């Protein structure tokens, strides 16, 4: 997969996915508070873990980029 070899494109994809996970988490939180559905609680947890994972990946990329400049 040539897309992932270019770190700049992969970083852009990570930022887009992070934004999507945050939006989905907001929608799931809305559903939890309006319908009290137990499946939505699992969805909030899953979205939270995915958002954390993407955030850490973005942080790692920024750290590698900063270290390569120095």
């Amino acid at each position: 997969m040539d897309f992932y070899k270019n770190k700049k494109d992969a970083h852009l994809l990570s930022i887009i996915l992070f934004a999507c996970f945050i939006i989905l988490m907001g929608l799931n939180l809305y559903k939890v508070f309006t319908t009290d559905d137990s499946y939505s609680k699992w969805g909030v947890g899953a979205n939270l873990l995915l958002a954390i994972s993407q955030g850490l990946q973005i942080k790692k990329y920024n750290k590698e980029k900063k270290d390569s400049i120095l």
Side-chain angles (χ1 to χ4, degrees), residues 35-49:
T35 62
D36 198 33
D37 188 14
S38 64
Y39 291 115
S40 293
K41 293 175 186 171
W42 286 106
V44 169
N47 282 329
L48 181 64
L49 290 175

Side-chain angles (χ1 to χ4, degrees), residues 7-34:
K7 288 189 176 198
K8 195 171 194 178
D9 289 341
H11 179 66
L12 179 64
L13 179 65
S14 293
I15 292 173
I16 293 170
L17 286 175
F18 180 72
C20 291
F21 292 142
I22 295 299
I23 291 168
L24 286 174
M25 188 169 51
L27 290 173
N28 276 334
L29 281 171
Y30 173 75
K31 189 174 180 183
V32 164
F33 289 124
T34 58

Side-chain angles (χ1 to χ4, degrees), residues 41-70:
K41 293 175 186 171
W42 286 106
V44 169
N47 282 329
L48 181 64
L49 290 175
L50 288 169
I52 290 170
S53 172
Q54 286 298 338
L56 291 174
Q57 186 174 2
I58 291 168
K59 184 179 176 181
K60 179 182 172 189
Y61 173 80
N62 288 335
K63 183 178 179 184
E64 288 176 358
K65 186 177 174 183
K66 186 177 119 180
D67 288 345
S68 67
I69 293 172
L70 298 176

